[in-house]
Amino acid sequence: MKKALVLFLTAVMVSGLVACGSPAPATQEASTSESSTETAETESAENTAEGSAADGGTYKVGICQLVQHEALDAATEGFMDALKEELGDQVTFDIQNAQGDSNTCSTIINSFISSDTDLILANATPALQAAAAGTNEIPILGTSVTEYGVALDIDNFTGTVGGNISGTSDLAPLDGQADMLAELFPDAKTVGLIYCSAEANSQYQVDTIKTSLEAKGYTCEYYSFSDSNDISAVVTNAASSVDVIYVPTDNTAASNAELINNICLPAGVPVVAGEEGICAGCGVATLSISYYDIGVATGKMAAKILAEGADISTMPIEYAPTFTKKYNAANCEALNITVPDDYVAIGE
């Protein structure tokens, strides 16, 4: 009896040991399988991310344009065309117009920052200044900006801004514009310099051309307006006092070119303009660049930054390679002005 009981208990204990030991290998196998699945999923996600990066990803570009007029519109169009040609569907645009208000530029830039924009195009000086004040991390490309040293208050500007800013300039040779004015109006005595005092680059242009014109024997007078509200009175005053008017690449003037024309043309006072759009609206002649072309150049810079990882801090400001003497045929005819043969009619 005792022997039978001992055999029974021994059998129960062996059975219990086997039962207790058997799950361990199964648990280890399950753990190994689970770990393998997680590793595979992680590697798959990493490979997908790497593949997306290798394909260039999708880039969001914010465009802040100060105001709508022919020159700035052309620069924006050229920029978008060039970037779409380089990156195709990989780039999307958020186009915002500040309607001529610098404060609105700041609001637009802040919206780009909060929406994780990959690159900002600042079209015109106030837009560039707002972008520079808003972020030192997101790449900023300016266009339709005359002088970056003046716009960004950089002493002894050497052509490269550094940091997160570069871009293209719309500066045409101001001494060349002075030469053109002298060529067309050699008998004139006084030149009125009309510009918006709120635009730093307009001040730079009239100061520079004033020196060139005075060296040629002209007397120059400043006629500045702070915004579009007082432009009519300022232009009327100038037209009654001078022989010729010069208007630089000024955004407020560009937006009010028709108003300037309606004052100056009946008064018989010719306007020499800093760019083609203003000339088409109120001028007789200009030594101008192509704003579409500088937009294209800016778009190519953007593609290098976004798709090729170019370092914007080392990219110098780019300038228009060519300048063309152009004339407004209708205004020249109305004022009895004959231009030399090397001038091209606007629109041809």
mmCIF file of all heavy atoms in Angstrom, residues 274-312:
data_model
loop_
_atom_site.group_PDB
_atom_site.id
_atom_site.type_symbol
_atom_site.label_atom_id
_atom_site.label_comp_id
_atom_site.label_asym_id
_atom_site.label_seq_id
_atom_site.Cartn_x
_atom_site.Cartn_y
_atom_site.Cartn_z
ATOM 1 N N GLY A 274 11.803 104.003 -63.849
ATOM 2 C CA GLY A 274 12.833 103.042 -63.476
ATOM 3 C C GLY A 274 12.586 101.644 -63.982
ATOM 4 O O GLY A 274 13.495 100.807 -63.968
ATOM 5 N N GLU A 275 11.349 101.354 -64.437
ATOM 6 C CA GLU A 275 11.060 100.013 -64.948
ATOM 7 C C GLU A 275 9.909 100.075 -65.946
ATOM 8 O O GLU A 275 9.169 101.048 -66.032
ATOM 9 C CB GLU A 275 10.773 99.037 -63.797
ATOM 10 C CG GLU A 275 9.625 99.402 -62.896
ATOM 11 C CD GLU A 275 8.299 98.790 -63.314
ATOM 12 O OE1 GLU A 275 8.290 97.990 -64.279
ATOM 13 O OE2 GLU A 275 7.279 99.123 -62.713
ATOM 14 N N GLU A 276 9.775 98.985 -66.682
ATOM 15 C CA GLU A 276 8.856 98.941 -67.823
ATOM 16 C C GLU A 276 7.390 99.100 -67.446
ATOM 17 O O GLU A 276 6.620 99.765 -68.151
ATOM 18 C CB GLU A 276 9.063 97.621 -68.573
ATOM 19 C CG GLU A 276 8.208 97.472 -69.801
ATOM 20 C CD GLU A 276 8.478 96.175 -70.552
ATOM 21 O OE1 GLU A 276 9.575 95.595 -70.374
ATOM 22 O OE2 GLU A 276 7.587 95.744 -71.303
ATOM 23 N N GLY A 277 6.964 98.480 -66.340
ATOM 24 C CA GLY A 277 5.559 98.562 -65.948
ATOM 25 C C GLY A 277 5.118 99.987 -65.672
ATOM 26 O O GLY A 277 4.030 100.404 -66.098
ATOM 27 N N ILE A 278 5.943 100.733 -64.945
ATOM 28 C CA ILE A 278 5.616 102.134 -64.661
ATOM 29 C C ILE A 278 5.638 102.941 -65.956
ATOM 30 O O ILE A 278 4.774 103.803 -66.185
ATOM 31 C CB ILE A 278 6.593 102.725 -63.627
ATOM 32 C CG1 ILE A 278 6.458 101.988 -62.290
ATOM 33 C CG2 ILE A 278 6.335 104.219 -63.425
ATOM 34 C CD1 ILE A 278 7.475 102.416 -61.237
ATOM 35 N N CYS A 279 6.621 102.661 -66.805
ATOM 36 C CA CYS A 279 6.722 103.372 -68.073
ATOM 37 C C CYS A 279 5.485 103.137 -68.930
ATOM 38 O O CYS A 279 4.960 104.057 -69.561
ATOM 39 C CB CYS A 279 7.980 102.951 -68.820
ATOM 40 S SG CYS A 279 8.313 103.933 -70.293
ATOM 41 N N ALA A 280 4.994 101.907 -68.960
ATOM 42 C CA ALA A 280 3.791 101.597 -69.733
ATOM 43 C C ALA A 280 2.589 102.362 -69.211
ATOM 44 O O ALA A 280 1.680 102.713 -69.977
ATOM 45 C CB ALA A 280 3.522 100.097 -69.689
ATOM 46 N N GLY A 281 2.582 102.640 -67.908
ATOM 47 C CA GLY A 281 1.437 103.318 -67.312
ATOM 48 C C GLY A 281 1.488 104.830 -67.390
ATOM 49 O O GLY A 281 0.452 105.479 -67.554
ATOM 50 N N CYS A 282 2.700 105.401 -67.294
ATOM 51 C CA CYS A 282 2.757 106.864 -67.220
ATOM 52 C C CYS A 282 4.009 107.477 -67.832
ATOM 53 O O CYS A 282 4.160 108.699 -67.837
ATOM 54 C CB CYS A 282 2.630 107.340 -65.772
ATOM 55 S SG CYS A 282 4.015 106.856 -64.703
ATOM 56 N N GLY A 283 4.927 106.658 -68.311
ATOM 57 C CA GLY A 283 6.217 107.176 -68.738
ATOM 58 C C GLY A 283 6.358 107.355 -70.230
ATOM 59 O O GLY A 283 5.449 107.066 -71.015
ATOM 60 N N VAL A 284 7.540 107.844 -70.609
ATOM 61 C CA VAL A 284 7.895 107.924 -72.028
ATOM 62 C C VAL A 284 9.036 106.962 -72.344
ATOM 63 O O VAL A 284 9.123 106.443 -73.454
ATOM 64 C CB VAL A 284 8.283 109.366 -72.444
ATOM 65 C CG1 VAL A 284 7.070 110.288 -72.330
ATOM 66 C CG2 VAL A 284 9.453 109.905 -71.640
ATOM 67 N N ALA A 285 9.923 106.719 -71.371
ATOM 68 C CA ALA A 285 11.062 105.839 -71.636
ATOM 69 C C ALA A 285 11.601 105.246 -70.340
ATOM 70 O O ALA A 285 11.363 105.780 -69.247
ATOM 71 C CB ALA A 285 12.170 106.608 -72.361
ATOM 72 N N THR A 286 12.301 104.129 -70.495
ATOM 73 C CA THR A 286 12.903 103.460 -69.347
ATOM 74 C C THR A 286 14.106 102.630 -69.789
ATOM 75 O O THR A 286 14.162 102.174 -70.937
ATOM 76 C CB THR A 286 11.895 102.533 -68.646
ATOM 77 O OG1 THR A 286 12.500 101.916 -67.510
ATOM 78 C CG2 THR A 286 11.416 101.426 -69.579
ATOM 79 N N LEU A 287 15.036 102.455 -68.906
ATOM 80 C CA LEU A 287 16.098 101.451 -69.059
ATOM 81 C C LEU A 287 15.743 100.361 -68.066
ATOM 82 O O LEU A 287 15.942 100.512 -66.863
ATOM 83 C CB LEU A 287 17.471 102.050 -68.754
ATOM 84 C CG LEU A 287 18.662 101.081 -68.842
ATOM 85 C CD1 LEU A 287 18.817 100.547 -70.261
ATOM 86 C CD2 LEU A 287 19.948 101.767 -68.386
ATOM 87 N N SER A 288 15.199 99.272 -68.562
ATOM 88 C CA SER A 288 14.518 98.332 -67.677
ATOM 89 C C SER A 288 15.047 96.920 -67.786
ATOM 90 O O SER A 288 15.698 96.540 -68.763
ATOM 91 C CB SER A 288 13.020 98.321 -67.990
ATOM 92 O OG SER A 288 12.300 97.514 -67.086
ATOM 93 N N ILE A 289 14.760 96.148 -66.753
ATOM 94 C CA ILE A 289 15.026 94.711 -66.721
ATOM 95 C C ILE A 289 13.733 93.969 -67.016
ATOM 96 O O ILE A 289 12.665 94.577 -67.116
ATOM 97 C CB ILE A 289 15.555 94.272 -65.337
ATOM 98 C CG1 ILE A 289 14.438 94.431 -64.285
ATOM 99 C CG2 ILE A 289 16.784 95.053 -64.935
ATOM 100 C CD1 ILE A 289 14.699 93.730 -62.994
ATOM 101 N N SER A 290 13.818 92.654 -67.125
ATOM 102 C CA SER A 290 12.628 91.807 -67.216
ATOM 103 C C SER A 290 12.341 91.240 -65.833
ATOM 104 O O SER A 290 13.145 90.468 -65.292
ATOM 105 C CB SER A 290 12.849 90.666 -68.208
ATOM 106 O OG SER A 290 11.853 89.669 -68.051
ATOM 107 N N TYR A 291 11.200 91.615 -65.265
ATOM 108 C CA TYR A 291 10.839 91.090 -63.939
ATOM 109 C C TYR A 291 10.506 89.606 -64.020
ATOM 110 O O TYR A 291 10.733 88.862 -63.055
ATOM 111 C CB TYR A 291 9.673 91.890 -63.356
ATOM 112 C CG TYR A 291 10.141 93.151 -62.671
ATOM 113 C CD1 TYR A 291 10.473 94.281 -63.416
ATOM 114 C CD2 TYR A 291 10.300 93.208 -61.298
ATOM 115 C CE1 TYR A 291 10.925 95.428 -62.811
ATOM 116 C CE2 TYR A 291 10.752 94.352 -60.670
ATOM 117 C CZ TYR A 291 11.071 95.459 -61.428
ATOM 118 O OH TYR A 291 11.545 96.598 -60.819
ATOM 119 N N TYR A 292 9.985 89.159 -65.139
ATOM 120 C CA TYR A 292 9.735 87.728 -65.297
ATOM 121 C C TYR A 292 11.053 86.967 -65.217
ATOM 122 O O TYR A 292 11.142 85.925 -64.551
ATOM 123 C CB TYR A 292 9.042 87.448 -66.623
ATOM 124 C CG TYR A 292 8.746 85.981 -66.846
ATOM 125 C CD1 TYR A 292 7.592 85.394 -66.333
ATOM 126 C CD2 TYR A 292 9.633 85.168 -67.554
ATOM 127 C CE1 TYR A 292 7.325 84.041 -66.516
ATOM 128 C CE2 TYR A 292 9.377 83.820 -67.750
ATOM 129 C CZ TYR A 292 8.221 83.259 -67.222
ATOM 130 O OH TYR A 292 7.975 81.914 -67.393
ATOM 131 N N ASP A 293 12.078 87.497 -65.857
ATOM 132 C CA ASP A 293 13.379 86.817 -65.874
ATOM 133 C C ASP A 293 14.016 86.743 -64.481
ATOM 134 O O ASP A 293 14.618 85.718 -64.131
ATOM 135 C CB ASP A 293 14.334 87.517 -66.843
ATOM 136 C CG ASP A 293 13.970 87.252 -68.300
ATOM 137 O OD1 ASP A 293 13.104 86.383 -68.549
ATOM 138 O OD2 ASP A 293 14.536 87.929 -69.183
ATOM 139 N N ILE A 294 13.896 87.815 -63.683
ATOM 140 C CA ILE A 294 14.487 87.723 -62.337
ATOM 141 C C ILE A 294 13.654 86.787 -61.456
ATOM 142 O O ILE A 294 14.182 86.161 -60.541
ATOM 143 C CB ILE A 294 14.697 89.095 -61.656
ATOM 144 C CG1 ILE A 294 13.375 89.820 -61.383
ATOM 145 C CG2 ILE A 294 15.647 89.961 -62.441
ATOM 146 C CD1 ILE A 294 13.531 91.025 -60.456
ATOM 147 N N GLY A 295 12.347 86.685 -61.768
ATOM 148 C CA GLY A 295 11.534 85.692 -61.067
ATOM 149 C C GLY A 295 11.991 84.283 -61.382
ATOM 150 O O GLY A 295 12.088 83.432 -60.496
ATOM 151 N N VAL A 296 12.302 84.036 -62.656
ATOM 152 C CA VAL A 296 12.815 82.727 -63.071
ATOM 153 C C VAL A 296 14.130 82.420 -62.357
ATOM 154 O O VAL A 296 14.338 81.303 -61.854
ATOM 155 C CB VAL A 296 13.012 82.680 -64.601
ATOM 156 C CG1 VAL A 296 13.814 81.446 -65.000
ATOM 157 C CG2 VAL A 296 11.662 82.685 -65.311
ATOM 158 N N ALA A 297 15.020 83.405 -62.317
ATOM 159 C CA ALA A 297 16.308 83.205 -61.636
ATOM 160 C C ALA A 297 16.103 82.865 -60.162
ATOM 161 O O ALA A 297 16.795 82.007 -59.600
ATOM 162 C CB ALA A 297 17.173 84.451 -61.780
ATOM 163 N N THR A 298 15.125 83.517 -59.531
ATOM 164 C CA THR A 298 14.831 83.247 -58.114
ATOM 165 C C THR A 298 14.263 81.847 -57.936
ATOM 166 O O THR A 298 14.580 81.145 -56.968
ATOM 167 C CB THR A 298 13.843 84.287 -57.563
ATOM 168 O OG1 THR A 298 14.206 85.589 -57.996
ATOM 169 C CG2 THR A 298 13.827 84.263 -56.037
ATOM 170 N N GLY A 299 13.428 81.413 -58.875
ATOM 171 C CA GLY A 299 12.871 80.061 -58.819
ATOM 172 C C GLY A 299 13.936 78.991 -58.928
ATOM 173 O O GLY A 299 13.873 77.959 -58.256
ATOM 174 N N LYS A 300 14.933 79.239 -59.769
ATOM 175 C CA LYS A 300 16.033 78.276 -59.903
ATOM 176 C C LYS A 300 16.861 78.223 -58.618
ATOM 177 O O LYS A 300 17.347 77.151 -58.227
ATOM 178 C CB LYS A 300 16.901 78.651 -61.097
ATOM 179 C CG LYS A 300 16.205 78.428 -62.435
ATOM 180 C CD LYS A 300 17.090 78.815 -63.616
ATOM 181 C CE LYS A 300 16.395 78.530 -64.938
ATOM 182 N NZ LYS A 300 17.218 78.932 -66.107
ATOM 183 N N MET A 301 17.017 79.361 -57.957
ATOM 184 C CA MET A 301 17.699 79.374 -56.666
ATOM 185 C C MET A 301 16.916 78.544 -55.652
ATOM 186 O O MET A 301 17.488 77.772 -54.871
ATOM 187 C CB MET A 301 17.871 80.812 -56.162
ATOM 188 C CG MET A 301 18.772 81.684 -57.012
ATOM 189 S SD MET A 301 18.771 83.432 -56.473
ATOM 190 C CE MET A 301 19.789 83.333 -54.986
ATOM 191 N N ALA A 302 15.597 78.693 -55.658
ATOM 192 C CA ALA A 302 14.742 77.945 -54.723
ATOM 193 C C ALA A 302 14.860 76.444 -54.944
ATOM 194 O O ALA A 302 14.916 75.659 -53.986
ATOM 195 C CB ALA A 302 13.288 78.392 -54.881
ATOM 196 N N ALA A 303 14.913 76.031 -56.207
ATOM 197 C CA ALA A 303 15.035 74.602 -56.516
ATOM 198 C C ALA A 303 16.343 74.038 -55.976
ATOM 199 O O ALA A 303 16.382 72.919 -55.449
ATOM 200 C CB ALA A 303 14.949 74.390 -58.031
ATOM 201 N N LYS A 304 17.415 74.810 -56.080
ATOM 202 C CA LYS A 304 18.705 74.344 -55.557
ATOM 203 C C LYS A 304 18.653 74.188 -54.037
ATOM 204 O O LYS A 304 19.215 73.248 -53.479
ATOM 205 C CB LYS A 304 19.801 75.334 -55.941
ATOM 206 C CG LYS A 304 20.137 75.344 -57.421
ATOM 207 C CD LYS A 304 21.201 76.401 -57.744
ATOM 208 C CE LYS A 304 21.514 76.425 -59.228
ATOM 209 N NZ LYS A 304 22.490 77.491 -59.567
ATOM 210 N N ILE A 305 17.955 75.095 -53.377
ATOM 211 C CA ILE A 305 17.857 75.039 -51.911
ATOM 212 C C ILE A 305 17.001 73.851 -51.479
ATOM 213 O O ILE A 305 17.378 73.074 -50.595
ATOM 214 C CB ILE A 305 17.269 76.358 -51.365
ATOM 215 C CG1 ILE A 305 18.247 77.509 -51.605
ATOM 216 C CG2 ILE A 305 16.946 76.237 -49.877
ATOM 217 C CD1 ILE A 305 17.628 78.888 -51.426
ATOM 218 N N LEU A 306 15.838 73.702 -52.100
ATOM 219 C CA LEU A 306 14.890 72.675 -51.674
ATOM 220 C C LEU A 306 15.307 71.268 -52.092
ATOM 221 O O LEU A 306 15.277 70.337 -51.286
ATOM 222 C CB LEU A 306 13.502 72.986 -52.245
ATOM 223 C CG LEU A 306 12.820 74.252 -51.720
ATOM 224 C CD1 LEU A 306 11.546 74.530 -52.505
ATOM 225 C CD2 LEU A 306 12.516 74.135 -50.236
ATOM 226 N N ALA A 307 15.682 71.106 -53.355
ATOM 227 C CA ALA A 307 15.921 69.758 -53.891
ATOM 228 C C ALA A 307 17.366 69.313 -53.806
ATOM 229 O O ALA A 307 17.645 68.115 -53.760
ATOM 230 C CB ALA A 307 15.443 69.696 -55.342
ATOM 231 N N GLU A 308 18.286 70.286 -53.780
ATOM 232 C CA GLU A 308 19.706 69.921 -53.793
ATOM 233 C C GLU A 308 20.419 70.240 -52.478
ATOM 234 O O GLU A 308 21.591 69.915 -52.322
ATOM 235 C CB GLU A 308 20.411 70.645 -54.949
ATOM 236 C CG GLU A 308 19.839 70.306 -56.318
ATOM 237 C CD GLU A 308 20.494 71.109 -57.441
ATOM 238 O OE1 GLU A 308 21.618 71.618 -57.230
ATOM 239 O OE2 GLU A 308 19.871 71.241 -58.510
ATOM 240 N N GLY A 309 19.703 70.886 -51.564
ATOM 241 C CA GLY A 309 20.308 71.187 -50.267
ATOM 242 C C GLY A 309 21.343 72.287 -50.313
ATOM 243 O O GLY A 309 22.238 72.355 -49.460
ATOM 244 N N ALA A 310 21.248 73.192 -51.293
ATOM 245 C CA ALA A 310 22.202 74.299 -51.395
ATOM 246 C C ALA A 310 22.135 75.172 -50.152
ATOM 247 O O ALA A 310 21.060 75.382 -49.577
ATOM 248 C CB ALA A 310 21.925 75.132 -52.638
ATOM 249 N N ASP A 311 23.274 75.684 -49.731
ATOM 250 C CA ASP A 311 23.374 76.520 -48.533
ATOM 251 C C ASP A 311 23.052 77.961 -48.902
ATOM 252 O O ASP A 311 23.841 78.645 -49.544
ATOM 253 C CB ASP A 311 24.791 76.425 -47.956
ATOM 254 C CG ASP A 311 24.954 77.214 -46.660
ATOM 255 O OD1 ASP A 311 23.969 77.864 -46.211
ATOM 256 O OD2 ASP A 311 26.065 77.196 -46.096
ATOM 257 N N ILE A 312 21.873 78.437 -48.486
ATOM 258 C CA ILE A 312 21.425 79.778 -48.847
ATOM 259 C C ILE A 312 22.352 80.859 -48.294
ATOM 260 O O ILE A 312 22.486 81.937 -48.881
ATOM 261 C CB ILE A 312 19.964 80.019 -48.374
ATOM 262 C CG1 ILE A 312 19.408 81.316 -48.995
ATOM 263 C CG2 ILE A 312 19.874 80.050 -46.854
ATOM 264 C CD1 ILE A 312 17.935 81.515 -48.730
#
